[in-house]
Amino acid sequence: MAEENEWGLRPLGPSEVNRLRGLAAAVAADLARSGLVISGQQNQYRETSAGGLRVEVDEFDDAAGGIWLHWEVHPSLRKATSEALRGQRFDDPVIASAGSIHERMASTILCMLGALGYVAEPSDDDYRPFAIKVLSAST
């Protein structure tokens, strides 16, 4: 069993990490074949990502661990939303638009995953709003 890191998190074992990475690759490939653009996985800061679906593999042994799918809007909408929030313009229509897009894309991605034979659920993680957690491939 792996030791906890300085944040109290315990990494998954190598076989479980490999299983998650394989499942994440299969999900990404199936969704790409379905027409979704898969954004770069290594772009942590997302400034240069044109948008699309980001696949995250959380490799820790806790409730937040697993495969997460995030819809990324175009940088211009991300920037406008951030500027409205920083300016405390909480009634700015761009915030509502971005939220609506994320909500609808999460619903659409859930439907697509079901059609492709995956078991998934909407996020209940406050740090991952509008994300989808992939639980397994249907057997």
Side-chain angles (χ1 to χ4, degrees), residues 45-135:
Y45 302 105
R46 304 174 307 161
E47 288 92 6
T48 59
S49 171
L53 187 70
R54 182 169 52 90
V55 180
E56 172 194 5
V57 178
D58 185 324
E59 299 177 359
F60 291 101
D61 188 12
D62 62 3
I67 300 166
W68 294 92
L69 307 179
H70 306 268
W71 185 252
E72 301 286 341
V73 296
H74 190 271
S76 62
L77 182 54
R78 287 195 302 265
K79 181 179 178 187
T81 304
S82 293
E83 288 173 356
L85 290 170
R86 275 195 304 274
Q88 297 185 2
R89 298 186 314 274
F90 302 119
D91 59 348
D92 191 313
V94 75
I95 295 172
S97 293
S100 181
I101 289 166
H102 281 99
E103 189 175 79
R104 290 172 190 222
M105 285 305 299
S107 177
T108 300
I109 292 165
L110 267 173
C111 289
M112 292 174 76
L113 288 168
L116 292 166
Y118 293 97
V119 178
E121 64 187 20
S123 173
D124 63 356
D125 184 334
D126 291 341
Y127 295 104
R128 291 179 173 106
F130 306 111
I132 303 299
K133 186 170 188 178
V134 177
L135 303 174

Side-chain angles (χ1 to χ4, degrees), residues 12-27 57-59 65-67 118-119 133-137:
L12 293 168
S15 64
E16 181 62 8
V17 168
N18 287 336
R19 185 192 72 77
L20 282 178
R21 288 180 182 171
L23 181 57
V27 167
V57 178
D58 185 324
E59 299 177 359
I67 300 166
Y118 293 97
V119 178
K133 186 170 188 178
V134 177
L135 303 174
S136 65

